[in-house]
Amino acid sequence: MTQGVRAQQRERTRQALVRESRRLFSTLGYAAVGLSEIVRAAGVTKGALYHHFASKAELFRAVLEQVQQEVADRIAETADAREGTWDQLVSGCQAFLTVSTDPVIQRIMLVDGPAVLGWSEWRAMNETTSGQHLAQVLEELIGKGTIVAQPVEPLTHLLSGAMNEAALWLAASTNPRDLDDTQTALVAMLDALRVE
């Protein structure tokens, strides 16, 4: 077996572990899933799992990274479809709330993510994906004078925190109107930042 073939096989094994873990974590929750279930679902041995991941928490981290990147990509795609930077900010923030209503996203990213990895590590991961994009847009809007001049980092954390809290609240909501009401409140909050 050539090195290239072995590398492809290792990558397929890793992908199967992440895919099946994601499916199990999203339906059962992190705490209810054992490594035996994961390796059985992925069709690999525990040795293969430990070759790629030192622990269940490390495997969960890989799943969470994948989910966070997908969320960031969906937000960016929605925002980039808009013309002006302000409209990109508003549509991107609304897209985050919409995406966060997906039960898979809720369970992995909003419920188990902070619980499994701890708040600090979870926040750091969030900052490298959608948090980074939010900071860039805010910086651009401040530079254009659309938002009053102020430090970007605290504003980014305030908005990100508000949206994460709203997403967690929506995850527990049973009222279908809550998403629309939350997005309306979000737009009003963002509009209050505008100079013009």
Side-chain angles (χ1 to χ4, degrees):
M1 189 180 295
T2 68
Q3 249 186 334
V5 171
R6 272 188 246 132
Q8 287 176 344
Q9 187 176 17
R10 280 193 302 272
E11 184 54 28
R12 279 194 302 275
T13 299
R14 186 182 191 289
Q15 287 174 4
L17 286 164
V18 171
R19 180 184 62 248
E20 293 305 320
S21 296
R22 178 177 176 164
R23 183 181 63 77
L24 291 166
F25 292 151
S26 68
T27 55
L28 303 173
Y30 176 83
V33 176
L35 291 178
S36 298
E37 286 176 273
I38 293 169
V39 295
R40 188 171 39 254
V44 300
T45 64
K46 274 195 180 176
L49 183 143
Y50 285 120
H51 176 77
H52 293 279
F53 303 100
S55 65
K56 182 172 123 178
E58 188 179 308
L59 176 55
F60 178 81
R61 189 180 205 291
V63 170
L64 178 58
E65 283 174 348
Q66 183 185 71
V67 168
Q68 284 186 319
Q69 189 58 57
E70 287 172 14
V71 168
D73 291 346
R74 286 166 67 181
I75 292 167
E77 182 182 325
T78 300
D80 291 346
R82 303 302 296 257
E83 284 294 318
T85 308
W86 179 259
D87 290 336
Q88 290 175 344
L89 171 69
V90 173
S91 66
C93 290
Q94 289 180 311
F96 171 75
L97 290 179
T98 301
V99 168
S100 296
T101 61
D102 179 329
V104 172
I105 303 297
Q106 289 173 346
R107 168 71 79 157
I108 292 172
M109 192 173 84
L110 299 171
V111 177
D112 285 343
V116 173
L117 300 180
W119 183 254
S120 295
E121 186 175 349
W122 179 81
R123 285 293 302 141
M125 289 175 69
N126 185 55
E127 285 179 34
T128 62
T129 52
S130 42
Q132 190 174 48
H133 188 68
L134 177 60
Q136 291 168 347
V137 171
L138 290 171
E139 195 169 307
E140 187 176 334
L141 288 167
I142 290 169
K144 290 179 175 180
T146 306
I147 295 176
V148 70
Q150 60 189 287
V152 172
E153 192 171 357
L155 182 58
T156 302
H157 284 279
L158 284 167
L159 289 176
S160 180
M163 288 186 290
N164 283 333
E165 181 61 30
L168 286 168
W169 177 71
L170 288 168
S173 170
T174 56
N175 184 345
R177 291 264 327 127
D178 283 344
L179 176 60
D180 290 338
D181 291 345
T182 303
Q183 289 189 337
T184 299
L186 174 65
V187 171
M189 185 175 81
L190 292 172
D191 280 341
L193 296 173
R194 290 185 85 164
V195 172
E196 27 180 310

